[in-house]
Amino acid sequence: MTDSEREEELLFGRMALRAGFITEEQLKEALKKQEESPVHRRLGDILVELGYMTRGQVALVMRAQGRQLDKTDKRLRLPRRDVLFGTIAVKLGLATKEQINRALRRQAELRAQGKEVPLGKILVEEGVLTLSQVRTLLAHQRKSLMVCPQCGKRYNVLNAVPGKKVKCPNCGASLEEPLAIGTAEVNGAIKEEVEPGKVRIGGYVVLEEISRGWKLIYKAKDRSGQIVALKAVLDERVSLPQEVARFRQEADALKRLSHPNIARILDVFEFEGRHFLVTEFVQGRTLRQVLTEGHLTPSEAVRITKAVADALHHAHQKGVYHRDMKPESIIVEDGTGRVVLTDFGLAVCQEQTMRLTRKGFAAGTAAYMAPEAAGSAIDAYDATSDIYSLGCVLFEMLTGRPPFYGDSPLEIMVRKMNEDAPSVMDYNATVPQKLAAIVAKCLARKKELRYRSALELKEALIDLEREQEWRQKVTTLLKRSLCVATSVGSAAAIVYALYATIAYLLGEV
């Protein structure tokens, strides 16, 4: 263990102690076990193994530790371009903040020895990134780095907004993208923000930024005043010609979808090298926001799942799969309660993400992906894959948690491929047994054991509702009959009341 790694481990222990997660005796025991180990093991892993901390607590301390190391490590006098490179890597999910911090400290140690080594090279040597991923990050960084053509100053532009000119703080000229990053230092950072009504993307006036990442989403207004959502889904500057062609084909297929539970695709256009989808803007809360208040009742979870299954069936009939089902993709409209499915993924976008990042598995959120979606064969995805993802969402609606957890997306997918999903009744005993069986069928590891179509799933949920209504009806009539019979006070009257209730429900009277 190097000195810097030992310092990190001790800092982790002190922060866990200060947070009240462990006692001094527990910390000493874990440090002793770490010292005795023939191979280097993280202190957090040892504390989890001893039962003194949970994985969630370790993650919380590690995030706080990353922030603390940024503030306290005096050796990190680094070029801002390296810090920006690391920030982009974390933002795109290619590295963790802890991995970047470790590489930055290694770079600082080498600099102290008179060696200048690019951060990307260190991350490749440590097995964090591939050369292809480094090239992808440099391409993203080149877009973030801008230079003034008049005074020559260079700036890291954060949250750049398409269609908005960035002014040089020094001379006021419009900044331009450099042809290469070069080795020169940057002179500062500029954080761009959307000014409502002052930026146009194509024929749309941007009102606010909704999200940012691989996919930019803006709330905007079209020429008629209609509020819409703008989604940047493909960047032509890093796309192959065949990917652009396939994007247009798939986008045309999305435009043909017309269903009350699917956000309508209104337009597709290209602007400054990026391809945008224009969709219906739904005013409401995402299912993720709803779930922050706790799990749902079985009846509400079934209502939402029926609506989404109906939407999926319509899309599947048109040859379109969702590919990225998760609570963030489902919106419950304010006022009406209408359930709306959004953010259909495109196969070409998944393939491009795999090509650019070399992740080895398709884009998507691991907690909700079907086991077969982990492979690099996009063609393996079908209707049953969407059904599996919807089953994960239904599981979370009923329990407040997804069926599988793990320390990394890869660990989650490995568990999905090798383990059966737990029963929802393990986490919520009030869930009806037949509903638990429906969830289990959605989450079957083998595709052939799941519902064959989203329509079949919807019909199973309708049958469940009818059975629940029938049981409620039996209970109500029985209570009413017994109440009347008891008031008469005759055993014969009570028996007759039971017979009359059952006969009525069976349609005999």
Side-chain angles (χ1 to χ4, degrees):
M1 190 188 310
T2 65
D3 289 341
S4 62
E5 287 174 335
R6 187 171 287 104
E7 288 174 13
E8 284 184 44
E9 295 294 288
L10 290 173
L11 176 61
F12 177 92
R14 288 196 299 270
M15 296 186 75
L17 185 63
R18 195 159 54 239
F21 292 143
I22 56 175
T23 65
E24 284 190 31
E25 290 72 24
Q26 290 170 339
L27 176 57
K28 288 177 182 176
E29 181 185 348
L31 287 170
K32 182 180 178 183
K33 189 166 184 177
Q34 184 187 46
E35 195 68 32
E36 294 171 348
S37 175
V39 295
H40 173 60
R41 296 182 62 200
R42 282 172 26 181
L43 185 61
D45 291 336
I46 294 173
L47 287 164
V48 170
E49 181 183 289
L50 293 171
Y52 297 150
M53 290 182 70
T54 66
R55 290 287 180 192
Q57 290 171 337
V58 169
L60 284 172
V61 174
M62 288 182 72
R63 282 198 291 271
Q65 181 186 17
R67 291 192 293 269
Q68 186 67 22
L69 286 168
D70 285 345
K71 296 175 185 176
T72 61
D73 198 329
K74 302 303 181 185
R75 291 171 297 180
L76 298 185
R77 295 188 178 90
L78 299 169
R80 289 180 181 171
R81 66 178 182 277
D82 285 328
V83 177
L84 176 63
F85 181 92
T87 300
I88 296 172
V90 173
K91 191 171 186 178
L92 296 182
L94 301 180
T96 66
K97 192 167 184 180
E98 291 73 29
Q99 290 170 330
I100 295 299
N101 283 334
R102 189 175 297 113
L104 287 172
R105 282 187 288 281
R106 175 62 180 155
Q107 186 186 48
E109 290 172 354
L110 292 170
R111 183 174 292 107
Q113 300 169 17
K115 301 175 184 177
E116 284 293 338
V117 182
L119 184 64
K121 183 178 180 181
I122 294 173
L123 289 165
V124 170
E125 290 174 349
E126 293 184 351
V128 177
L129 299 177
T130 65
L131 286 172
S132 176
Q133 289 172 332
V134 169
R135 285 193 290 270
T136 299
L137 288 168
L138 289 172
H140 277 271
Q141 186 175 11
R142 189 173 293 112
K143 295 172 207 169
S144 301
L145 185 66
M146 302 190 78
V147 63
C148 177
Q150 288 191 17
C151 67
K153 291 190 179 294
R154 298 155 64 87
Y155 300 93
N156 291 332
V157 180
L158 310 176
N159 294 350
V161 180
K164 182 181 179 183
K165 295 292 184 183
V166 183
K167 300 296 184 182
C168 174
N170 184 55
C171 67
S174 295
L175 299 182
E176 299 175 352
E177 289 185 6
L179 296 176
I181 293 178
T183 58
E185 295 289 336
V186 293
N187 300 102
I190 303 172
K191 186 173 182 180
E192 285 291 279
E193 294 183 359
V194 173
E195 299 178 68
K198 293 188 178 181
V199 177
R200 281 186 173 273
I201 298 178
Y204 300 86
V205 177
V206 176
L207 301 178
E208 65 178 277
E209 183 179 297
I210 298 174
S211 73
R212 177 174 289 268
W214 276 106
K215 188 186 294 181
L216 271 172
I217 304 179
Y218 295 108
K219 180 180 178 182
K221 182 169 61 176
D222 66 11
R223 291 185 176 91
S224 68
Q226 180 183 1
I227 303 299
V228 298
L230 292 185
K231 303 181 182 184
V233 291
L234 196 74
D235 192 335
E236 195 163 331
R237 290 169 292 186
V238 294
S239 300
L240 301 174
Q242 59 266 35
E243 289 174 339
V244 175
R246 281 194 58 202
F247 163 77
R248 290 171 179 154
Q249 291 175 354
E250 292 188 55
D252 285 341
L254 284 179
K255 288 173 69 176
R256 291 196 295 271
L257 299 181
S258 179
H259 190 278
N261 299 113
I262 295 177
R264 289 175 293 124
I265 307 295
L266 305 173
D267 191 15
V268 181
F269 68 95
E270 183 270 334
F271 181 77
E272 293 187 352
R274 281 186 168 174
H275 290 268
F276 286 82
L277 288 178
V278 184
T279 72
E280 166 192 8
F281 181 81
V282 182
Q283 185 66 51
R285 294 190 300 165
T286 66
L287 183 57
R288 169 66 64 216
Q289 292 170 320
V290 173
L291 288 173
T292 58
E293 301 170 4
H295 64 75
L296 306 183
T297 62
S299 60
E300 180 64 4
V302 166
R303 182 186 80 85
I304 292 173
T305 306
K306 278 196 311 176
V308 175
D310 200 39
L312 285 177
H313 178 63
H314 173 77
H316 293 166
Q317 286 185 310
K318 303 287 185 180
V320 176
Y321 305 124
H322 192 282
R323 299 182 183 275
D324 195 16
M325 178 75 64
K326 53 190 174 184
E328 289 84 352
S329 304
I330 300 169
I331 298 177
V332 180
E333 189 174 41
D334 290 343
T336 66
R338 179 173 68 115
V339 176
V340 183
L341 185 58
T342 67
D343 293 338
F344 275 76
L346 298 174
V348 65
C349 295
Q350 291 194 334
E351 288 175 343
Q352 185 188 80
T353 300
M354 293 164 63
R355 176 176 65 82
L356 292 176
T357 65
R358 296 294 191 268
K359 280 185 176 179
F361 55 86
T365 306
Y368 307 97
M369 287 169 64
E372 63 273 11
S376 56
I378 296 292
D379 293 342
Y381 201 100
D382 61 16
T384 63
S385 306
D386 271 347
I387 290 169
Y388 183 98
S389 297
L390 181 54
C392 291
V393 173
L394 177 55
F395 188 104
E396 186 165 352
M397 283 193 282
L398 293 169
T399 66
R401 52 154 286 165
F404 291 96
Y405 273 117
D407 289 339
S408 68
L410 181 59
E411 182 180 336
I412 293 173
M413 295 311 297
V414 168
R415 288 191 62 194
K416 286 187 173 187
M417 289 186 282
N418 293 284
E419 300 176 22
D420 290 328
S423 169
V424 293
M425 298 181 73
D426 293 342
Y427 300 96
N428 184 355
T430 66
V431 174
Q433 192 168 356
K434 289 197 173 181
L435 179 54
I438 290 174
V439 178
K441 188 168 182 176
C442 291
L443 297 179
R445 271 189 287 167
K446 294 183 179 180
K447 298 166 67 171
E448 58 270 21
L449 298 180
R450 300 174 202 156
Y451 291 100
R452 290 168 295 178
S453 70
L455 179 60
E456 187 178 348
L457 168 59
K458 178 189 172 185
E459 288 173 344
L461 292 170
I462 290 173
D463 289 343
L464 174 69
E465 284 184 320
R466 286 174 179 161
E467 183 176 327
Q468 293 293 326
E469 289 173 4
W470 187 85
R471 287 177 181 276
Q472 185 62 40
K473 199 172 184 180
V474 168
T475 302
T476 302
L477 285 173
L478 189 56
K479 284 181 178 178
R480 189 180 301 160
S481 299
L482 287 174
C483 184
V484 172
T486 303
S487 65
V488 174
S490 166
I494 294 175
V495 171
Y496 178 77
L498 289 171
Y499 166 77
T501 300
I502 294 171
Y504 172 79
L505 291 168
L506 293 176
E508 295 179 6
V509 294

